[in-house]
Amino acid sequence: MGMRIKVLQKDGGKLQVNEEFSEMLAFNGIDTFEKLWNIPSEPVKKVVKQRGTERVLLKSPDGAALEAYIKRYTPEPLKEKIKNILSFRPNRYPGALNEWNAVVEFHRNNLPTMQPIACASRGGDSCILTLGIRDYRRASELFAEFAGKDRSRRRSLIGKIAGLAAGMHSAGMAHQDFYLVHMFVREGEDDKPYLIDLQRVVFKEDFSERWRVKDLAQLLFSSEKFVSRTDILYFWKIYAGGAVGKMSDGKALMAKIMRKTASIRKHAG
């Protein structure tokens, strides 16, 4: 059974707060959209013009500092929006509310991800504040280190990632950027993988085999230089055993995944 996060509505619905962090946010004077949007922060990364992530330090009543991350979204330019619609890619960079809903839904389904603190939205501007994941390694780094050694540990991590993928798809969600770099692994939790960057998650209403294929092809593309055919078959055994919902025959689905992987490889090259 997953953990249900109780969400409190503030500032006329423009600010949503995880009840667990309500007292801390109040202590830091964050009770409106404006206060969260303008919270002091330092840049970490900016992948696209419409989205940037910055580090935030929150003070707790006991004097300790809590490291968090705020991701701010601004509206997609009309020209880019029209281009994406014509390319059948509407809502390519949705606002923070989509990521907030995804994080909350991940917790409800017991899928490891970031801890949500607050989300704010007004007009076309929105932002999400999450707790930083500490003491992690990127899955891509670990698999690179496993090359030629740590076979049992590599196989164990493959099984955990397969379980995460199966759980996500069984819950009717697809990540859309399901690459190893978006998985943080906490070695102190027996190599437990956490999935990050959920801003483009597709939900039940829109979930279909197309998204299942895309996710698994992205994962295969990002891991193929680290894993063997036997590893892939092991992943598939765990994934197929845990996934529920409408799914093609195994061989047919695998063929679609291989074709999509080849397409990603071609565009990446």
Side-chain angles (χ1 to χ4, degrees):
M1 185 67 179
M3 180 183 74
R4 288 186 178 274
I5 292 173
K6 186 173 181 180
V7 178
L8 306 179
Q9 301 284 339
K10 297 180 180 292
D11 193 21
K14 293 191 288 289
L15 177 66
Q16 298 187 53
V17 171
N18 180 348
E19 185 182 43
E20 183 181 343
F21 295 94
S22 180
E23 183 180 348
M24 176 175 285
L25 289 172
F27 185 76
N28 285 267
I30 301 171
D31 55 5
T32 65
F33 168 90
E34 290 282 355
K35 295 286 182 62
L36 182 58
W37 181 267
N38 293 311
I39 190 172
S41 55
E42 56 182 39
V44 176
K45 66 177 180 178
K46 194 174 185 72
V47 180
V48 294
K49 290 182 180 179
Q50 293 78 38
R51 187 177 73 246
T53 301
E54 301 196 345
R55 184 181 292 106
V56 171
L57 286 180
L58 294 172
K59 297 177 182 178
S60 63
D62 62 8
L66 190 70
E67 185 178 78
Y69 291 87
I70 186 168
K71 192 182 293 184
R72 296 181 178 91
Y73 295 75
T74 54
E76 188 177 34
L78 181 59
K79 181 179 178 181
E80 188 69 18
K81 187 177 293 186
I82 293 173
K83 178 183 175 183
N84 287 330
I85 291 173
L86 294 176
S87 302
F88 301 101
R89 298 184 304 184
N91 207 26
R92 192 178 181 198
Y93 299 112
L97 192 57
N98 192 75
E99 183 162 23
W100 172 264
N101 290 335
V103 172
V104 170
E105 190 68 10
F106 262 56
H107 279 276
R108 193 177 76 82
N109 286 279
N110 203 28
L111 298 169
T113 187
M114 308 160 290
Q115 185 78 355
I117 298 176
C119 177
S121 179
R122 187 184 66 185
D125 295 327
S126 59
C127 58
I128 180 173
L129 185 68
T130 57
L131 193 63
I133 298 174
R134 302 179 64 84
D135 305 319
Y136 69 85
R137 301 281 304 282
R138 289 189 185 271
S140 52
E141 296 174 356
L142 280 175
F143 277 113
E145 289 183 6
F146 291 161
K149 58 182 180 180
D150 289 326
R151 183 178 181 278
S152 62
R153 188 179 172 195
R154 185 185 76 231
R155 183 62 62 87
S156 175
L157 182 54
I158 288 171
K160 289 170 184 173
I161 292 173
L164 175 57
M168 176 175 67
H169 291 162
S170 294
M173 293 182 287
H175 189 271
Q176 287 208 76
D177 285 304
F178 202 49
Y179 299 99
L180 286 180
V181 294
H182 292 140
M183 295 179 199
F184 286 178
V185 179
R186 298 199 72 233
E187 295 176 290
E189 287 188 73
D190 193 27
D191 288 345
K192 183 176 181 178
Y194 286 74
L195 191 56
I196 65 165
D197 287 349
L198 308 186
Q199 64 270 0
R200 295 181 61 206
V201 164
V202 172
F203 291 92
K204 294 178 181 178
E205 299 78 17
D206 301 310
F207 182 78
S208 66
E209 185 167 283
R210 168 194 176 193
W211 302 115
R212 188 192 301 273
V213 168
K214 182 178 180 180
D215 272 356
L216 297 179
Q218 289 173 334
L219 180 60
L220 179 57
F221 170 76
S222 65
S223 63
E224 57 187 355
K225 63 182 177 181
F226 305 124
V227 299
S228 65
R229 176 177 172 78
T230 304
D231 290 330
I232 294 172
L233 292 175
Y234 177 72
F235 172 93
W236 186 253
K237 178 182 178 181
I238 302 297
Y239 174 82
V244 297
K246 188 176 180 181
M247 194 164 66
S248 291
D249 168 76
K251 288 184 179 179
L253 183 56
M254 182 61 79
K256 292 179 183 178
I257 294 167
M258 291 300 183
R259 285 196 295 271
K260 183 63 176 178
T261 303
S263 175
I264 295 172
R265 192 185 302 116
K266 180 180 178 181
H267 284 93

